[in-house]
Structure formats: C-alpha cells, structure tokens
C-alpha cells in the first residue's frame, strides 16, 4: 500500500515540535521521541514513505533504527541527521542503514524540505517497480501456471496452494519482499516442463519411478532456476527455486551450497510448504501434517516449522480426549493414517496382499514403513480406523501394549521396499 507519510525521529522533544510547526501543511508528518517509539509508530500507523532520524539518540542510535527499518520495511526511505559531521559516521550510516540522504545539524529548512521531497520521489520509484512486478509480472506468471495446472492439475495445482500459504505467512515471518516468495511458490514446479509426458503422467498417478527417473526429477529445480534467471528482477526468486529441495543439514539438492540458516529464507519456507502440500487434503493444513515432517528433522528448519505450524495449522479435535473420550471411527485414505490409529480394516494392496491386519495400533515405525511401501504399491482404499480416546492414546492396558509391540515386530518393521513386506504378504485376501 502506497503512502505519503513521513516520520521524524529525535530524542529532543522541543526540536520535534519545531519541525512539526515548520513542516505543517507541507508533509503528512508524524513524530517519535527515540527509536523505540519510532518502531512502535511504524508498526501501529505504518507504512511510512520516509523516516528521518537523528544519529545520536540514547538507547537506539539513528543508524541502528534505520538499519532495523530497512529490514522490516524495505520500501521506507531513510534520511540521517547528525551534529557529528565526521566522515566515519556518515559512512557507517550509509552502509548500515540504507540511507538515502545525510544532513548535518542544524539543517537549513529549505534543504531539509528538498531532501524529504526527493525521498518521497524515491519511495514512489521503489513502489512503482514493486507494483509493476506484482501486478504485471506476477499476473503473467499466474496465467502461465494456471495453464500448466490445466495440463497437469496434480503438480501445478499444488503450487497454487503453496502460493496461498505463502501469502498467509509472509507478514508474520517478516519476509522482506513477499512478492518474491509468492512468485517462487508459483514457479517451483516450472522445471517439470522439461520432463517427458509419460514421466509426468506417472508422477501425477503417484506411480513408482526408476532410479534414473528419480534423478531427472530431482534436478528439475536446477532447470527452473535457469529459466527464471532470464527474467529481469527475478534473480533472487531463481535462487530460492533452485534451492527448494536443499535440506537444512546441507543434504538434498543441490549437493553443494549453504547449510542451516544460511540457506535463503524463501527456500527454507518452500522446503516445508512443498512437503506439506504433498500430505494435505485441499487447502487446509492440520496439526498431523506438520507432525509427519518431524520424521525427517534433518530436512527442515525446525524453528521455522514451529512458526509456520502456529500460523497455518488447524487444530484437529479428533485428538481431543475431552470431546472424544472413547475415540472416533473414521473412514480415511492411507495418506491420512497416523501414529496411534487403531485399524478396523486390513491394510492390503490391490494385489490382495495384506500388510497389517485389523485390530492393530499404528506405531511410528510402522507408519514410516508404510510411507515407503505406498510409493511402490497401490493400496485398497478407503480404510477404517478408530482415532483418539484416552485408552487408545495412552495405552494403559499392558496386554494391549505388549500386543502392539509384538505386532510391530511381526508386521512390517524390518522389511525392505522390494521384498514382501510382512509374514502375511503371501496370503490372499480372506
């Protein structure tokens, strides 16, 4: 949202009153006494086009204030005023605070007015470029991804959901350029256009891929990054898309690059949201979608994951023991199966091979094994489970706990993806 508001910050209240009198009628001016009050004013009454700050203020210097503003409100143009005219102070202010102009105190009123008007024009240029990108470029890209979504709804339709989630969380995580994150989300799967149609079709149907095919798919972010890098002003978007599959611990793709928080924030966000999009049904994320990501903690920024969970996850009352003291019987797909679910039907493939029989609780190990087999086999769906409840969740019955452990040992634990997954795997459906 564009604005013409100007914020003047100083620790001298008499000076601030004088500035307000001098500039009355010339600018939409607000004042703040010190850095802390300035940040509060920015948060409550922003956005502001220009911020003029005194260099020497107790608590928070003008350099520190404008440096913070440049990170949280990157479009706000900064002007520095100081009675200390030494060169070192000016260089520090310009380098650290993204300063547009630097004036010595006392500053001639006409010169200060001219500087503020120049800063307002600079703000208009910044916002005009942002509007051009957001409205023109983003609109064009959305048309492109809409068309691709019609050709392959599963893959490209997922990008639309991720874009919606990015729009929801960008402000809360203080993402400096939200439009970049949104475009990166839309363009994440653009590298898929390089894949053969039959491979795309198999991916859409969740069919298992051969090792060479998996390697080709793994490299699609590299293709996407090269395509996006050709578009002016989207170099950072290209970097985010290129690192969307790089894990927090440095594994994944690309094989070389930054690790941990050195990975661009946008790439860390997409690493989480893309994984959630594969697990979610529709646009709504529930708590267990986030819980499943914890099976692979090395892949994600866990602090960021916790933050996104608080912003996006809808509480699933099925796990509320007060509302459902005896649990609830549900008809679900295999993707919705969770740790602690009690099977009311057998888990079996479409080839009539039983993996787990009804009457078993799902353990964490079993669920991880099932996720592997799900990539290699088609299961009969839907399945029926009982979920929640004090007895089922806490396992106070010793015999049931022992039975669950024995089932886990005799069931799918310890099997390999390319072998029969359970002792009953050779038995046809009863």
């Amino acid at each position: 949202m564009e604005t013409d508001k100007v914020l003047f910050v100083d620790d001298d209240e008499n000076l601030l009153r004088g500035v307000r009198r001098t500039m009355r009628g010339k600018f939409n001016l607000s004042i703040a006494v010190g850095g802390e009050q300035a940040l509060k004013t920015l948060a409550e009454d922003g956005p502001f086009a220009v911020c003029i700050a005194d260099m020497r203020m107790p608590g928070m210097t003008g350099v520190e204030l404008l440096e913070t503003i440049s990170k949280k409100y990157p479009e706000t143009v900064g002007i520095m005023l100081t009675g200390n005219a030494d060169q070192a102070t000016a260089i520090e202010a310009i380098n650290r605070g993204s300063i547009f102009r630097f004036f010595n105190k006392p500053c001639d009123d006409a010169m200060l007015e001219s500087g503020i008007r120049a800063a307002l024009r600079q703000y208009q240029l910044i916002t005009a470029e942002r509007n051009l990108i957001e409205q023109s470029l983003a609109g064009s890209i959305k048309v492109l991804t809409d068309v691709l979504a019609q050709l392959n709804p599963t893959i490209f339709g997922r990008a639309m959901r991720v874009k919606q989630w990015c729009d929801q969380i960008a402000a809360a995580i203080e993402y400096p350029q939200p439009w970049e994150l949104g475009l990166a989300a839309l363009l994440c799967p653009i590298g898929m256009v390089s894949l053969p149609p039959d491979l795309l079709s198999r991916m859409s149907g969740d069919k298992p891929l051969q090792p060479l095919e998996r390697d080709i798919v793994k490299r699609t972010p590299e293709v996407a990054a090269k395509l996006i890098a050709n578009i002016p002003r989207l170099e950072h978007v290209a970097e985010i898309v290129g690192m969307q599959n790089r894990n927090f611990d440095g594994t994944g793709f690309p094989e070389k690059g930054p690790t941990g928080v050195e990975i661009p924030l946008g790439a860390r966000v997409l690493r989480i949201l893309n994984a959630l999009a594969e697990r979610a049904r529709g646009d709504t994320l529930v708590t267990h979608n986030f819980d499943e990501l914890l099976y692979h903690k090395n892949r994600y920024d866990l602090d960021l994951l916790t933050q996104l969970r608080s912003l996006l996850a809808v509480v699933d009352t099925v796990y509320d023991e007060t509302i459902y003291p005896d649990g609830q019987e549900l008809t679900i797909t295999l993707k919705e199966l969770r740790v602690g679910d009690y099977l009311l039907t057998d888990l079996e493939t479409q080839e009539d091979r039983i993996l787990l029989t009804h009457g078993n609780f799902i353990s964490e190990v079993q669920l991880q094994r099932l996720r592997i087999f799900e990539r290699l086999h088609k299961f009969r769906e839907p399945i029926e489970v009982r979920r929640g409840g004090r007895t089922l969740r806490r396992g106070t019955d010793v015999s049931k706990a022992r039975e669950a452990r024995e089932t886990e040992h005799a069931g799918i634990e310890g099997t390999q993806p390319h072998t029969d997954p359970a002792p009953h795997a050779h038995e046809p459906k009863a």
Side-chain angles (χ1 to χ4, degrees), residues 210-217:
Q210 299 300 319
L212 180 59
E213 293 173 326
R214 290 197 295 270
D215 186 63
I216 294 173
V217 172

Side-chain angles (χ1 to χ4, degrees), residues 67-201:
E67 183 181 19
T68 301
I69 291 173
S70 70
K71 293 177 180 178
K72 297 185 69 173
Y73 312 100
E75 293 177 349
T76 300
V77 179
I79 294 177
M80 177 67 68
L81 289 176
T82 182
N84 184 354
D86 67 281
Q87 187 178 18
T89 300
I91 292 173
E92 180 188 21
I94 292 169
N95 289 342
R96 289 185 57 191
S98 300
I99 309 302
F100 176 68
R101 289 283 191 274
F102 186 93
F103 296 120
N104 290 326
K105 292 171 63 178
C107 181
D108 180 74
D109 290 343
M111 181 179 294
L112 179 59
E113 180 180 340
S114 175
I116 294 175
R117 295 194 185 282
L120 285 170
R121 287 194 294 272
Q122 177 69 10
Y123 172 79
Q124 290 169 354
L125 289 173
I126 294 171
T127 54
E129 181 180 35
R130 186 253 298 158
N131 289 338
L132 176 65
I133 294 174
E134 286 187 353
Q135 297 173 15
S136 302
L137 182 57
S140 300
I141 289 174
K142 188 175 187 306
V143 170
L144 171 63
T145 51
D146 282 345
V147 172
L148 293 172
Q150 295 298 316
L151 298 175
N152 197 308
T154 301
I155 294 174
F156 289 94
R158 187 180 295 160
M160 304 297 183
R161 283 187 284 162
V162 174
K163 165 67 164 59
Q164 292 175 12
W165 297 332
C166 285
D167 292 343
Q168 287 180 247
I169 59 94
I173 67 172
E174 298 181 353
Y175 200 87
Q177 297 289 355
W179 65 266
E180 286 186 346
L181 183 61
L183 282 185
L186 284 176
L187 292 172
C188 266
I190 204 72
M192 298 287 184
V193 298
S194 65
L195 299 178
D198 59 328
L199 180 53
L200 278 172
S201 177

